[in-house]
Amino acid sequence: MYIYDDYDQQIVDQRVDQFRDQTRRFLAGELTGEEFRPLRLQNGLYIQRHAPMLRVAVPYGHLRSDQVRALAEIARKYDRGYGHFTTRQNIQYNWPKLEDVPDILADLAKVQMHAVQTSGNCVRNTTTDQFAGVAHDEIIDPRPWCELIRQWSTFHPEFAHLPRKFKIAVCGSVEDRAATWVHDIGVHVVRNAAGEVGFKVIVGGGLGRTPMVGAVIREFLPSLHLLSYLDAVLRVYNRYGRRDNKYKARIKILVKAMTPEAFAAKVEAEWSHLKDGPMTLTQAEIDRVAAFFTTPAYQTLPAEDKGFARLRSENKAFARWVERNVFKHKQPGYAAVTLSLKATGVAPGDATDAQLDGVAELADRYSFGEIRVSHEQNLILADVQQADLPAVWEAAKQLGFATPNIGLITDIVCCPGGDFCDLANAKSIPIAEGIQQVFADQDYLFDLGEIDLNISGCMNSCGHHHVGHIGILGVDKSGSEWYQVSLGGRQGHDASLGKVIGPSFAQDDVPGVVRQIIEVFVEHRQGDERFLDVFDRVGMEPFKSRIYQKERAHG
Amino acid sequence: MGKHPHIIKLDRSNGQREIVANHWLRVAEGCDDTIPAHTLLPLKEWLERRDELLGRADVGIWFAPDDEPEALGQDAARLSIIAVDFPAFTDGRGFSIGRLLRERYGFAGELRAVGDVFKDTLLYLRRCGFDAFEIRADKDVEEAAKGLDDFSEFYQGAADQPLPLFRRRGG
Ligand code: HEM
Ligand code: SF4
């Protein structure tokens, strides 16, 4: 993990002072609400339905156990004893008091954390693969590059007031687990034919109102040029992105309007001035940052632990948990464990203070004191010995984090929706619970295989419904809450957007509709086919005719 | 538009700042006759009368957010003052304009931020090459000046300090 030096610490400490002063001036009437708004947003502070909401940055989803304990303490001290992990690997508190926020930030700064640029029209938290550094299919560890981007983007003076928010995701493995094709910039760390490290750069992806898959604007950017090239992309966007209409202000609209080729040419022209300038990375700096992400002190272990293998063959529940929640590690004898924050009846992504403390404890005992957050809103212990898996399983059960459903239909990605969010058209948390209840039978659930189900309470798409195999979107129809269902979306290298199945449904009907979708899938399934494969083979029609056979839907 | 009584003037060589009286009048459009001394003209108008005005140190230019520094080009190096308008502080285009004028077009005169300018953007402005700040009339100028010191270290290179922290980080 990256550890702050005096410079990093001073920067977050000065941020606390700055925000304390801004809050004081707002409360004293020296800053209007309109002036304070962009300033507080740049510090992750929204004013929501019930109270302010504070979004704390978890850079590229990495946490140390002391940081997780600090998050638990904040939940206890300033909130109602829980936090919510988001699809951008951050954590949100739903009930802090505005006056307390400077103190919360001060507590965070003590453990090298902050809320810098977690909202607002600036460069947001850089996200990556939750299995970075341990994934069996990793080509290059993306984390040093994420940290370099974090530092470059932190308080970047030129890009503090962009036309709209700006999100960067980095991926360094064969499978794309960071949704890089639907970010403002997606960076793939790659090697060229000569074996040199560099980046493939994708721009203009995004979800929201106008969902789009990004376009490659550079096949290979040599690694030393990462930051100067990002400066060039952001400068073109800052100058030419639309500012007249907030729904057309994302970079994807600019890239589409200019065409990716013309946009790429504009970036190259800008970059020709910046290339080889002072922002060119030095090998010394790359090495300095990379040194924080070395492999932990692994033991030399057999590829398969005997005790683990035995329990796996004897105990079906354990085997099931291993199959769903344990990810293949590149180090023999080790595994990455996903703690599921998707138990039925709990808002997806929520964790209590006691659960957070429990996770910190597990990390200290079994995983070198580190925890990761995935963009599917789960937590990960990345370096667990196979021999410890039975103990970790037991402990995770105690915490309520052992639901064996990672990648299954009940591992729902879900935004806070109408229960918390001012922008919502409809609730999303109760929909998630209703659907989870349909699949309460573990055997049935398990047999269905991988299905991503995503729910957003409005077009802003915080729940990534466009890239869910099944996507559910809250829509407003003359004041009541309705839901539009889409099928066939996906993330990863073949990212594409789901297609709407037809007219929307009333809240009570949604779980039943999902049940029917699954029934159709099962009827058409050949062998172990995945939901997506069946959908790609049979198309929308069978689903549509089943669901709309009775006059359930309206308008 | 018009003339603000006071501006904060920053000495870029040593970081000292003082609050000084403002001599410059920013106009929406010039007149057909000789431009009076201490006038800030819109970029477009200055460009139309470039040959007449290029030699005049007592006439400056102001940029709107969608004006392009490229249109002025190397002439920037011969001007004594340029203002950049921020109609709203959340319109960040002026930051890029400032950096381009300083870093690409060699502008060495006074770079002045005007419009919705107050404490909370001064430091970013300074980093983008600005050294004069026309604080909004309803804000306290002395208090605003403190915003220049909100941070003392920065990760990235910019107009004020071209070297990023990684080229300066000692051991
Ligand atoms: C409750 C407070 C929240 C508010 C007011 C809010 C607001 C918004 C808005 C307005 C957008 C659309 C921006 C645009 O398209 O330009 C957006 C997008 C997004 N939000 Fe949220 N959000 C909230 C909570 C969350 C949470 C809890 C998550 C994670 C679970 C989240 C993750 C995202 C993501 C990933 C996007 C990106 C989609 C994209 O633009 O490509 N948001 N949010
Ligand atoms: S998708 Fe809409 S309802 Fe859900 S959190 Fe985002 S803005 Fe709120």
Side-chain angles (χ1 to χ4, degrees):
Chain A
M1 282 254 327
Y2 186 75
I3 309 282
Y4 282 10
D5 67 7
D6 291 346
Y7 291 108
D8 304 299
Q9 189 65 47
Q10 182 183 332
I11 289 170
V12 296
D13 288 345
Q14 288 185 326
R15 173 51 151 194
V16 176
D17 294 342
Q18 183 191 40
F19 193 70
R20 200 180 286 285
D21 173 65
Q22 288 170 342
T23 307
R24 180 192 62 73
R25 283 186 289 139
F26 169 66
L27 293 171
E30 293 168 35
L31 277 173
T32 64
E34 208 184 325
E35 288 161 358
F36 186 50
R37 187 173 178 277
L39 301 175
R40 65 171 161 75
L41 285 177
Q42 303 241 340
N43 223 336
L45 187 62
Y46 287 79
I47 306 290
Q48 280 305 309
R49 195 150 281 199
H50 307 290
M53 177 207 88
L54 179 67
R55 186 180 293 154
V56 174
V58 180
Y60 36 94
H62 269 52
L63 288 165
R64 296 190 309 258
S65 55
D66 63 314
Q67 295 175 322
V68 173
R69 288 194 179 90
L71 294 175
E73 181 60 21
I74 288 168
R76 259 189 303 275
K77 196 161 143 196
Y78 302 103
D79 207 283
R80 298 193 180 167
Y82 69 95
H84 173 78
F85 288 98
T86 79
T87 45
R88 300 210 75 258
Q89 301 182 307
N90 292 321
I91 182 169
Q92 291 182 178
Y93 293 103
N94 284 317
W95 309 94
K97 286 207 224 28
L98 175 63
E99 311 79 87
D100 285 341
V101 172
D103 292 334
I104 299 176
L105 297 180
D107 287 358
L108 288 169
K110 284 183 202 141
V111 291
Q112 310 191 334
M113 292 186 77
H114 58 76
V116 173
Q117 292 168 212
T118 51
S119 182
N121 297 333
C122 48
V123 183
R124 304 285 190 85
N125 185 26
T126 300
T127 52
T128 192
D129 181 4
Q130 66 269 28
F131 297 118
V134 304
H136 61 90
D137 66 341
E138 187 162 278
I139 306 160
I140 291 155
D141 189 344
R143 295 171 300 170
W145 306 107
C146 291
E147 176 58 27
L148 287 163
I149 294 171
R150 183 191 76 82
Q151 298 193 10
W152 160 81
S153 63
T154 299
F155 304 126
H156 197 303
E158 188 178 345
F159 309 132
H161 295 289
L162 295 167
R164 203 72 183 85
K165 60 177 160 181
F166 204 90
K167 302 175 178 181
I168 303 178
V170 186
C171 146
S173 52
V174 175
E175 193 190 329
D176 173 20
R177 283 176 293 267
T180 53
W181 291 90
V182 289
H183 275 75
D184 296 286
I185 294 183
V187 176
H188 292 180
V189 197
V190 292
R191 262 184 228 285
N192 66 5
E196 294 153 345
V197 174
F199 312 99
K200 176 154 134 179
V201 183
I202 300 160
V203 297
L207 300 173
R209 237 159 255 267
T210 324
M212 280 183 211
V213 173
V216 176
I217 59 161
R218 204 168 218 285
E219 283 294 341
F220 189 80
L221 177 71
S223 60
L224 295 181
H225 298 305
L226 176 64
L227 302 182
S228 62
Y229 189 81
L230 289 178
D231 268 334
V233 175
L234 268 288
R235 181 171 285 171
V236 170
Y237 172 55
N238 189 43
R239 294 183 65 191
Y240 302 109
R242 283 181 65 172
R243 290 174 185 265
D244 59 327
N245 179 342
K246 115 178 212 200
Y247 300 122
K248 299 199 186 302
R250 295 288 289 270
I251 195 173
K252 61 192 171 190
I253 306 289
L254 178 66
V255 173
K256 178 126 192 272
M258 290 176 75
T259 75
E261 296 70 31
F263 182 84
K266 189 95 182 156
V267 169
E268 291 291 322
E270 179 59 40
W271 187 48
S272 69
H273 296 281
L274 304 177
K275 185 171 183 282
D276 300 320
M279 285 308 288
T280 309
L281 280 163
T282 60
Q283 194 57 47
E285 174 66 357
I286 295 170
D287 294 345
R288 181 186 80 87
V289 174
F292 290 103
F293 301 96
T294 49
T295 50
Y298 291 126
Q299 293 179 30
T300 310
L301 298 171
E304 187 170 77
D305 177 76
K306 289 217 171 58
F308 158 71
R310 189 173 333 107
L311 188 63
R312 192 179 183 177
S313 64
E314 287 166 2
N315 184 325
K316 183 168 154 198
F318 179 67
R320 199 160 260 186
W321 177 77
V322 170
E323 181 167 346
R324 292 319 322 172
N325 296 31
V326 174
F327 183 79
K328 191 167 168 216
H329 203 286
K330 66 181 178 195
Q331 179 72 17
Y334 281 81
V337 172
T338 301
L339 300 170
S340 170
L341 273 57
K342 308 296 177 66
T344 301
V346 180
D350 273 11
T352 66
D353 59 332
Q355 286 174 318
L356 290 169
D357 281 334
V359 170
E361 184 67 31
L362 281 182
D364 281 340
R365 284 183 66 179
Y366 300 112
S367 195
F368 299 98
E370 289 189 17
I371 297 98
R372 286 125 185 256
V373 185
S374 73
H375 82 273
E376 287 92 356
Q377 307 176 282
N378 293 308
L379 295 177
I380 283 104
L381 300 171
D383 294 294
V384 179
Q385 289 190 14
Q386 276 182 9
D388 290 332
L389 286 173
V392 170
W393 180 53
E394 289 298 338
K397 280 199 285 191
Q398 296 297 315
L399 288 173
F401 281 168
T403 314
N405 63 349
I406 300 307
L408 301 181
I409 193 168
T410 56
D411 182 11
I412 294 174
V413 173
C414 178
C415 80
D419 293 301
F420 295 99
C421 177
D422 269 348
L423 306 175
N425 288 326
K427 294 195 180 61
S428 50
I429 294 169
I431 298 294
E433 184 175 348
I435 294 169
Q436 284 170 330
Q437 275 161 359
V438 170
F439 300 97
D441 179 337
Q442 288 287 326
D443 292 323
Y444 180 56
L445 171 67
F446 209 72
D447 286 344
L448 296 176
E450 281 171 29
I451 305 175
D452 291 351
L453 191 145
N454 296 49
I455 309 175
S456 304
C458 77
M459 252 344 245
N460 288 318
S461 320
C462 302
H464 293 186
H465 65 278
H466 300 289
V467 290
H469 304 168
I470 302 174
I472 298 178
L473 164 68
V475 289
D476 176 71
K477 276 213 277 190
S478 45
S480 58
E481 303 189 356
W482 288 73
Y483 297 85
Q484 193 180 69
V485 176
S486 56
L487 298 180
R490 67 206 66 184
Q491 46 183 10
H493 285 308
D494 57 348
S496 63
L497 309 168
K499 292 185 195 58
V500 177
I501 186 164
S504 49
F505 308 97
Q507 173 168 348
D508 290 346
D509 290 338
V510 174
V513 167
V514 174
R515 185 204 307 272
Q516 287 180 310
I517 291 170
I518 296 306
E519 282 166 7
V520 174
F521 154 57
V522 171
E523 285 162 24
H524 287 84
R525 189 182 200 190
Q526 298 168 355
D528 278 347
E529 254 185 329
R530 294 181 315 156
F531 175 80
L532 263 189
D533 300 329
V534 172
F535 177 80
D536 289 347
R537 189 161 52 73
V538 306
M540 189 66 99
E541 206 37 53
F543 296 95
K544 209 170 176 156
S545 52
R546 173 74 52 88
I547 288 166
Y548 294 102
Q549 63 188 358
K550 281 195 277 148
E551 259 313 291
R552 162 180 282 139
H554 309 257
Chain B
M1 226 55 49
K3 194 164 159 179
H4 276 241
H6 293 105
I7 57 161
I8 301 169
K9 188 84 187 78
L10 172 79
D11 184 336
R12 291 201 296 149
S13 65
N14 59 17
Q16 282 180 5
R17 69 283 322 243
E18 52 182 340
I19 293 160
V20 299
N22 177 20
H23 303 300
W24 292 85
L25 182 69
R26 185 160 69 100
V27 297
E29 56 190 86
C31 48
D32 293 338
D33 306 333
T34 314
I35 304 290
H38 294 135
T39 301
L40 294 170
L41 280 183
L43 173 67
K44 184 160 170 288
E45 196 149 335
W46 188 93
L47 289 173
E48 280 162 10
R49 297 169 68 168
R50 171 185 181 271
D51 295 342
E52 167 198 346
L53 296 174
L54 190 58
R56 281 189 62 182
D58 61 349
V59 175
I61 297 179
W62 69 271
F63 274 69
D66 56 356
D67 284 337
E68 307 244 321
E70 289 80 355
L72 181 61
Q74 302 299 336
D75 285 353
R78 297 177 56 185
L79 288 163
S80 62
I81 177 168
I82 299 178
V84 178
D85 184 25
F86 290 80
F89 78 95
T90 49
D91 186 336
R93 286 175 287 183
F95 294 121
S96 292
I97 294 174
R99 286 194 70 175
L100 287 167
L101 289 171
R102 285 284 193 229
E103 296 171 61
R104 190 158 307 161
Y105 297 111
F107 175 59
E110 176 181 310
L111 186 59
R112 181 183 286 205
V114 302
D116 193 12
V117 177
F118 56 98
K119 183 176 185 180
D120 302 279
T121 52
L122 292 201
L123 184 61
Y124 287 149
L125 288 168
R126 169 190 183 169
R127 298 222 60 213
C128 290
F130 289 83
D131 57 359
F133 313 91
E134 203 176 276
I135 303 299
R136 234 172 59 196
D138 60 328
K139 299 279 184 189
D140 179 344
V141 185
E142 308 266 350
E143 169 74 11
K146 293 183 196 152
L148 288 167
D149 302 316
D150 276 351
F151 291 90
S152 41
E153 260 312 339
F154 314 100
Y155 288 116
Q156 34 334 73
D160 61 334
Q161 166 54 280
L163 295 183
L165 183 58
F166 65 75
R167 290 182 183 272
R168 295 179 285 113
R169 218 164 197 146

